[in-house]
Amino acid sequence: MAVAEVTLTINGVEHTLVLDTRTSLLDLLREGLGLTGSKKGCDHGQCGACTVLLDGRRVNSCLALAVAHDGASIVTVEGLASDDGSLHPLQRSFVEHDAFQCGYCTPGQICSAVGMLREVSEGWPSVVTVDLSAESVPLSEDEIRERMSGNLCRCGAYMNIVPAIAEAASE
């Protein structure tokens, strides 16, 4: 078994860890650090339940080897709320819109939405973006659905997830 030392800043706290080089970021978060907000859904990068923000970009943590991200900054759903305990606008909007049923996918949905809104603010087009030369991308329901398509909800709460994201984006 090969081991390596990595330093990661997770939810604002620096951690220096010695771990098996085969350890996924998801397993490190859940089993190594007890941050169980990110869920192990499919363990193949197909459902998005494990989505976290890695240096501000959304990634499926089940597919990311922890050693490959030495020095990176990671934010999980636990790290989105403010230090005073107030919820992130997307967390609040998900609650207000009842955008979850069982809640299993919700942490990944919220982290993905945070990353997606950053992409939109930076003008990144999607496959449904109508005007690729526009300076900004209007965030329509189709844009939200397309951009969130990597995050599955087995309960079918999409009818509330899309408006929750749209409301948080408008704030």
Side-chain angles (χ1 to χ4, degrees):
M1 173 176 77
V3 296
E5 182 177 284
V6 295
T7 300
L8 299 166
T9 302
I10 301 169
N11 297 331
V13 178
E14 188 174 286
H15 298 269
T16 299
L17 308 148
V18 175
L19 45 88
D20 184 321
T21 56
R22 300 168 294 176
T23 303
S24 71
L25 188 53
L26 177 61
D27 288 340
L28 170 66
L29 293 169
R30 290 184 58 80
E31 297 169 20
L33 299 174
L35 295 170
T36 57
S38 304
K39 304 300 186 219
K40 186 175 276 201
C42 66
D43 215 18
H44 295 295
Q46 298 173 348
C47 73
C50 66
T51 305
V52 298
L53 300 171
L54 176 68
D55 292 330
R57 296 186 64 185
R58 53 191 172 150
V59 299
N60 291 332
S61 62
C62 71
L63 297 180
L65 291 176
V67 297
H69 301 289
D70 187 28
S73 176
I74 296 151
V75 177
T76 68
V77 72
E78 293 96 337
L80 291 176
S82 299
D83 289 338
D84 66 4
S86 60
L87 295 178
H88 183 280
L90 274 161
Q91 291 172 312
R92 192 172 49 253
S93 190
F94 266 63
V95 171
E96 290 170 1
H97 284 269
D98 197 24
F100 49 88
Q101 286 182 34
C102 79
Y104 198 81
C105 72
T106 305
Q109 295 271 2
I110 291 172
C111 282
S112 187
V114 170
M116 181 266 295
L117 291 178
R118 179 176 167 262
E119 294 164 9
V120 169
S121 73
E122 292 176 358
W124 294 16
S126 79
V127 74
V128 299
T129 302
V130 177
D131 184 0
L132 297 178
S133 64
E135 288 186 31
S136 65
V137 178
L139 194 60
S140 66
E141 287 189 5
D142 285 342
E143 280 285 346
I144 293 171
R145 284 187 188 93
E146 171 60 30
R147 292 169 184 272
M148 293 296 292
S149 65
N151 291 81
L152 305 179
C153 174
R154 289 173 177 91
C155 299
Y158 301 113
M159 294 302 294
N160 295 342
I161 291 171
V162 172
I165 294 170
E167 181 178 295
S170 69
E171 290 180 4

